[in-house]
Amino acid sequence: MTGGDEKSARAPTADELAALLHFYAEAGVDSAVEESTVDRFEESRARTAAAAKKPSNQEARRPPAASATEKPVPAQPPSPQQPEATVPDEAAITDARETARNAQSIDALREALASFNGCNLRFGARSTVFADGNPQSDVMFIGEAPGRDEDRQGLPFVGRAGQLLDKMLKAIELDRTRCYITNMIPWRPPGNRSPTPLEIELCRPFIERHVELVGPKVVVFLGNVSTKALLGTTRGILSLRGTWSEYHPNSDTAIPALPTLHPAYLLRNPAAKKLSWQDFLSVRDRLDRFSG
Ligand code: URA
């Protein structure tokens, strides 16, 4: 046996296993895969069907019609209903719309979102990242989705991209007491992958209601995802950035909206910061017009 073989035959230490698990979690692994494939959605459908067939508590308590010699089976206490992942469908989108529409305040929306189980992203996330900042302010920034740090802290834009955003805000005399910050998607997608079109549709009613309830004078879209989803365009952020248009959270409301580059993009492409600087100056100019 060579030295290398000896090393690979050795059982991993607890620290090595912890490092491996950490690596998997960072890479977006959210479940263990077995040798043969298992359709978890089918399992969940079967459980739901079985639960629907189960006799009601009242029926379960009814004495059995069987012979008197048979021992009665004691009624089972109802098992607590754990929310679980299912295949989202049109009904889930309708449910999202109704849930969001019924929220009459920002706090009610926060609570409604925290208990909404229609989007499977929530099952892999630690937090429902709702918003940060001042809902009374004139400007609302809408990013993409929480990353690792945001998921851990439960607040939007607190990681490296968030620190850059804070610097950019400071450069135009804003901070988190003078603006409001949220995301298109409130749950971290595994491994920071892009949200799917279905996930975007499931979350859209909540961000639309969020904007309605906050009522900002100006909306700034940070990056491709919120820009495309909320402006309803397929054009990319590099061609849309810096040009004002209107965002319509409902058919009666038009809010001046500016798409700009996502701070995470700027971390990867620092040369693009000069474009963002122009966009942020343009935001400052708009805000000054309201206050002046
Ligand atoms: N990127 C986003 O789009 N939102 C965050 O909250 C953090 C990083």
Side-chain angles (χ1 to χ4, degrees), residues 60-67 70-73:
R61 277 196 295 273
R62 211 173 279 148
S67 77
E70 265 177 45
K71 265 195 172 175
V73 181

Side-chain angles (χ1 to χ4, degrees), residues 143-147 150 155-157 161 183 262:
E144 178 176 330
E150 289 76 20
L155 288 171
F157 284 99
N183 280 309
H262 193 287

Side-chain angles (χ1 to χ4, degrees), residues 11 29 56 63 138 143 162 171 174 176 183 186 189 202 207 219 234 252 255 288:
V29 175
S56 68
D138 287 346
L174 289 178
R176 293 186 188 223
N183 280 309
L202 285 162
I207 188 69
V219 176
T234 52
D252 300 329
I255 305 173
D288 287 346

